[in-house]
Amino acid sequence: MKFSEAWLRTHVDPPWTTQQLAEALTMAGLEVESCAPVAPAFDRVVVARIEAVEAHPRADRLRICRVNAGTPARLQIVCGAPNARAGMLAPCALPGAVLPGGLQIVPRSMRGVDSAGMLCSARELGLSEDHEGLLELEDGLDPGCSLRDALALDDHRFELKLTPNRPDCLGVLGIAREVAALSGAPLFLRAPRELRTDIPDRLPVRILAPDLCGRFCGRVIRGVNPGAATPGWMKRRLERSGQRSISALVDISNYVMLERSRPTHVFDLDRIDGSLEVRWARSGEKLTLLSGTTIDLDETCGVIADESAVESLAGIMGGAATAVSNATRNVYVEAAFWWPKAIAGRSRRFQFSTDAGHRFERGVDPASTAADLDEVCGLIVEICGGKVGPLDDQILKLPERLPVRLRLARARKVSGIALSRGEVDALLGRLDFTREWLGSFAGEAGEGGEGGKAGEVVVVTPPSFRFDVQIEEDLIEEVVRLRGYDQLPQRAPRALTLMREVPETERSLIDLKRSIAARGYQEVIHFSFVSASLDRKLTGLQAISLINPMASTHDAMRTSICTGLLETLRHNLHRKAERVRLFEHGRVFLRAPGAPPGPLDVEGIRQPLRMALLAYGPNLPVQWGEATRGVDFFDVKGDLEALLARRKVDFVTSGIAISAESPMQPPTGLHPTRQALILEGGRLVGWIGVLHPRLQQELELPEPPVLAEVEAWLLQQVTMPQAQSPSRFPPVIRDLALVIDRMQPAGPLKAAIEAAGKGHVQEVAIFDEYQGKTLKENEKSVAFRLLMQHTDRTLDEGEVRLVMQDVMRALEVFGARLRS
């Protein structure tokens, strides 16, 4: 919600500075996202009238203007603006003025002609980017008056970040009510307009869907002038609220919406065929909107239709067929209360949003419908002229505002403040809440005997515009909010604390994240919503689709955390990042038809926690000690092994069949020969690999990233270290160079050596791999170093020989032979 501070202060003017006003709004729950002056600092800039324009004798593009700037003598100013003409009003910077950017205005000669000042464009004053010509000012301003005063430039533009429960603050009047309640300053409200009915004309309207529209008001106005100019004060307020001035009729409707949070619509009466009806759309109907987009309607869309076609998407946007134009002479003005559930989600379904839909889907005050309509009609008559017909006000069903009971003892307990009856009554009174103090009722003491003594229970009826006040805690929140969150007492908690046991075999999530960050990764947090297309290409799984996605790129629940990491990688690469290391901890959402419902589970859906890593770019940051190379599969594999903290897992590249019921499935978007499954005890617990070249090309990545994803519990559960006495006897070291099939992984051979030499072989390390001329094309040589040692004695040659024979027998199943 954007608005002008000056506009707000016409309704309430507390003795606060701009900064104090912003802080008060934020502390009251209306977060001020930005607050900036509407114009940069400048001085000695006045309104000036150009009285005469002559051609420059020595420059075709320059002209000599005689200017009335309120000075004793007329000024001669050389100007190059193409729109400079006699009679126009424009800003004039007098000698000595300092413009935004530090430009100082001094008398000077321009091509031999003296110039005593500068006529300014909007960009030169920092008001906009328009520099096509002079900033043309509206008639009626006095030459010589300060431009800052004439355009009310000593103003600030506020932008609020409102929560969905406060739709009443989507208008300046709603914000003014809040400021008046917070500050105690008086609230200035105009009396409701009393329109004189000049003509008897009515437009028949039938409400066929009371579940769509609870109240409908309308008036006919004949003889309007659509070409009337929008007043400057209204234009400025609209522009400072983020609205572009279009025409007087449209501007008036937008103005009332911004002031009163009441969207209205103005129809061209002569384009309406017969009567109107408010109903749900019928399948197959179409509507061309004001934006020019044609949409297909169905039975879930509310519409306003005439006798031949649909003319408006109810509560969201009008149709092009009945839009006002320069040819409009008669209009029908409509204001209604649309039920929020009937409007919510409709505009997003058609992939657009409007200010009207944003307000109606949160809730608009039904009680002020007629008064707001009269405000629109009154402004139209003032600015555009015309004769007004009688009010048509149809009330079908309105929201019921049930009273809410507040126990004073409960308010004290929840807030921790010794609230008095008088203080609570005064605070609620500031919000225009109706109060009735009662005694406690038998059997209603509530939890902890909070019924209260006689006179300590108040029944509160909120005003019609406060949809968010429905339960006792809402009232307590209002009391504390107005009193000031910063006034809450700071007391140390009083409770017996219990030091709970922390198993040494479990690592906390924060410790795990610190370990990952220590290896150079940065944590990111994504929405659980991802692109269904990208997610499927990466994992091969069918993601759970969203009925009402917030964007086309967030239309499904993720089946892999790496989907979001890839999007973030692209975002960073577009901003010239060269080395990216990311990790994320979170849930994935998998279809599981047999999964039962639970307190935190949805039937048919599993939501396991996963940890994912992504590495891209050079293996090391910029440094001088080692040659730079790209990160590879084994870099990330090493990171995972370090994080596993002695937990025994197997990285398997082939030959493993995974059941369709397995909690984790191998992805399909990895390079076929540069990936591995991570198994623990034969169970799939993770995967690692390089992105498939096809996906790399689709995502326009210069290099393929390395991805890994594992079950979160795998990294959080650690194996307790076992103490062992070091041997005092010398080790025996033997090297084995084995020739094996080129596609044979070395891991199973290492495991076989360890198993065959158990009790004697303490360490096995791979220290060389060779493929060359002395071997066949489908062979490779892998060299293992075996460290043998006994804790009680020195191993003799016979024992070593027997161990090596056992090792070679174990390796025969792999077709391994010693390299000669």
Side-chain angles (χ1 to χ4, degrees), residues 592-731:
L600 299 176
D601 296 310
V602 178
E603 184 176 5
I605 299 175
R606 285 189 294 102
Q607 306 175 45
L609 284 166
R610 302 270 175 85
M611 181 68 77
L613 308 179
L614 178 147
Y616 176 92
N619 65 317
L620 294 173
V622 177
Q623 40 77 47
W624 58 269
E626 291 189 24
T628 301
R629 62 171 177 81
V631 67
D632 60 23
F633 173 94
F634 296 100
D635 292 318
V636 179
K637 179 174 178 285
D639 290 334
L640 273 181
E641 289 175 330
L643 295 170
L644 286 168
R646 298 178 300 277
R647 198 176 184 91
K648 180 65 176 176
V649 298
D650 297 312
F651 291 81
V652 181
T653 58
S654 61
I656 298 295
I658 304 299
S659 168
E661 284 74 33
S662 171
M664 179 174 278
Q665 294 293 319
T668 58
L670 300 181
H671 194 290
T673 62
R674 297 162 69 183
Q675 61 168 296
L677 302 180
I678 304 172
L679 305 180
E680 186 195 48
R683 176 176 54 167
L684 179 62
V685 293
W687 51 263
I688 179 176
V690 177
L691 189 67
H692 196 287
R694 181 187 65 253
L695 257 181
Q696 175 194 344
Q697 184 176 9
E698 287 185 19
L699 296 175
E700 299 179 345
L701 302 177
E703 300 292 335
V706 184
L707 307 170
E709 186 166 310
V710 298
E711 301 284 5
W713 57 262
L714 182 71
L715 298 176
Q716 289 187 257
Q717 295 179 4
V718 297
T719 304
M720 286 291 294
Q722 301 293 327
Q724 294 180 344
S725 301
S727 175
R728 295 177 298 160
F729 301 94

Side-chain angles (χ1 to χ4, degrees), residues 483-517:
R483 195 177 187 274
Y485 290 123
D486 55 341
Q487 300 299 315
L488 288 172
Q490 297 183 9
R491 303 190 187 99
R494 294 183 180 181
L496 294 175
T497 57
L498 177 64
M499 297 295 291
R500 300 185 180 277
E501 295 181 358
V502 180
E504 292 187 67
T505 55
E506 291 185 13
R507 178 165 45 180
S508 70
L509 180 60
I510 188 64
D511 286 341
L512 174 59
K513 289 181 177 181
R514 285 171 178 161
S515 298
I516 300 175

Side-chain angles (χ1 to χ4, degrees), residues 417-600:
I417 305 171
L419 295 167
S420 66
R421 169 176 168 167
E423 185 177 14
V424 170
D425 189 75
L427 292 172
L428 294 176
R430 286 194 205 170
L431 294 168
D432 200 23
F433 287 8
T434 303
R435 291 106 44 221
E436 182 182 0
W437 287 89
L438 308 172
S440 60
F441 298 95
E444 292 190 357
E447 182 183 339
E450 294 169 3
K453 301 175 183 178
E456 291 192 334
V457 176
V458 60
V459 177
V460 178
T461 303
S464 57
F465 52 81
R466 288 302 300 269
F467 290 85
D468 58 314
V469 179
Q470 299 178 356
I471 60 175
E472 186 175 31
E473 281 69 20
D474 294 332
L475 291 174
I476 297 173
E477 179 186 5
E478 292 301 298
V479 169
V480 174
R481 188 172 66 86
L482 286 189
R483 195 177 187 274
Y485 290 123
D486 55 341
Q487 300 299 315
L488 288 172
Q490 297 183 9
R491 303 190 187 99
R494 294 183 180 181
L496 294 175
T497 57
L498 177 64
M499 297 295 291
R500 300 185 180 277
E501 295 181 358
V502 180
E504 292 187 67
T505 55
E506 291 185 13
R507 178 165 45 180
S508 70
L509 180 60
I510 188 64
D511 286 341
L512 174 59
K513 289 181 177 181
R514 285 171 178 161
S515 298
I516 300 175
R519 302 195 70 80
Y521 291 82
Q522 291 183 310
E523 183 180 14
V524 293
I525 300 175
H526 295 100
F527 285 121
S528 298
F529 315 134
V530 295
S531 165
S533 173
L534 177 58
D535 193 80
R536 186 175 180 84
K537 290 174 183 176
L538 177 63
T539 66
L541 301 176
Q542 183 65 43
I544 299 168
S545 299
L546 298 177
I547 296 176
N548 184 26
M550 62 182 183
S552 59
T553 55
H554 294 78
D555 59 347
M557 305 296 290
R558 64 187 179 191
T559 63
S560 170
I561 296 178
C562 287
T563 308
L565 296 184
L566 286 172
E567 291 288 3
T568 300
L569 171 64
R570 295 180 65 197
H571 180 82
N572 280 269
L573 294 181
H574 291 161
R575 284 150 184 81
K576 307 301 182 183
E578 296 181 353
R579 184 176 186 272
V580 180
R581 298 291 188 277
L582 305 173
F583 79 93
E584 183 176 7
H585 175 272
R587 294 189 183 277
V588 296
F589 303 86
L590 309 173
R591 298 178 184 271
L600 299 176

